């Protein structure tokens, strides 16, 4: 991952995990926790995602100035783009994810909207000439 450092490992009982180290000062603890909480909410709504593992009731941990989270390593599969049944299933999951996400606005995560990703960059480019 370009944004974060992600490593997979196997424990003594041969269970696979992924540990994700967040780049210092890239995301706040509140932003990361909000993402974790949303992922756990998706699991509660039977949407298959890989949630962060809770350790002592927490999903976000710190060590020597680095924030990190632990996830079970789960297998996946690539869907066939010409398989209409699989495409419909992906569309249904995306719809369900958006439905869960629409229940409450994020407070700490940045928005992804036209203003931030179209109008502001266009203005910067126009003013550069």
């Amino acid at each position: 991952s370009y944004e974060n450092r992600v490593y997979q490992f196997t424990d003594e009982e041969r269970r696979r995990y992924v540990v994700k180290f967040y780049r210092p000062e890239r995301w706040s603890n509140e932003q990361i926790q909000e993402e974790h909480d949303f992922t756990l909410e998706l699991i509660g709504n039977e949407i298959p995602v890989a949630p962060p593992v809770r350790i002592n009731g927490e999903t976000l941990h710190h060590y020597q100035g680095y924030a990190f989270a632990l996830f079970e390593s789960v297998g996946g599969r690539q869907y066939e783009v010409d398989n209409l049944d699989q495409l419909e299933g992906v569309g249904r999951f995306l719809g369900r994810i958006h439905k869960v996400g629409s229940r409450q606005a994020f407070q700490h995560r940045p928005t992804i909207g036209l203003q931030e990703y179209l109008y502001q960059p266009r203005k910067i480019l126009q003013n550069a000439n």
Side-chain angles (χ1 to χ4, degrees):
S1 169
Y2 176 75
E3 288 291 320
N4 306 296
R5 303 296 177 251
V6 180
Y7 303 94
Q8 181 172 275
F9 68 93
T10 304
D11 72 2
E12 299 86 10
E13 297 174 16
R14 303 183 55 87
R15 293 178 297 206
R16 291 182 312 145
Y17 290 94
V18 171
V19 62
K20 179 177 182 178
F21 292 91
Y22 298 93
R23 282 188 5 205
E25 300 181 28
R26 174 63 174 100
W27 300 106
S28 70
N29 289 333
E30 293 82 10
Q31 289 172 317
I32 298 168
Q33 190 61 58
E34 196 167 52
E35 177 184 290
H36 289 183
D37 293 343
F38 180 63
T39 305
L40 294 168
E41 187 177 359
L42 292 175
I43 286 292
N45 283 272
E46 300 178 0
I47 297 172
V49 295
V53 174
R54 288 187 188 274
I55 301 171
N56 298 326
E58 301 292 331
T59 59
L60 182 59
H61 310 282
H62 297 86
Y63 182 76
Q64 294 185 356
Y66 290 93
F68 70 94
L70 184 68
F71 301 82
E72 289 185 27
S73 179
V74 294
R77 62 179 183 275
Q78 185 173 348
Y79 67 94
E80 302 167 21
V81 294
D82 60 346
N83 184 319
L84 295 180
D85 291 334
Q86 288 183 7
L87 287 174
E88 183 177 342
V90 168
R92 287 177 194 240
F93 277 125
L94 288 172
R96 290 176 58 202
I97 290 168
H98 282 273
K99 184 175 181 178
V100 171
S102 70
R103 293 179 190 160
Q104 177 179 325
F106 285 121
Q107 300 299 310
H108 303 286
R109 301 283 296 182
T111 59
I112 300 174
L114 292 175
Q115 185 64 34
E116 299 85 357
Y117 286 88
L118 180 64
Y119 301 130
Q120 288 176 358
R122 181 178 67 186
K123 187 175 183 178
I124 290 169
L125 291 173
Q126 289 172 332
N127 292 338
N129 292 327

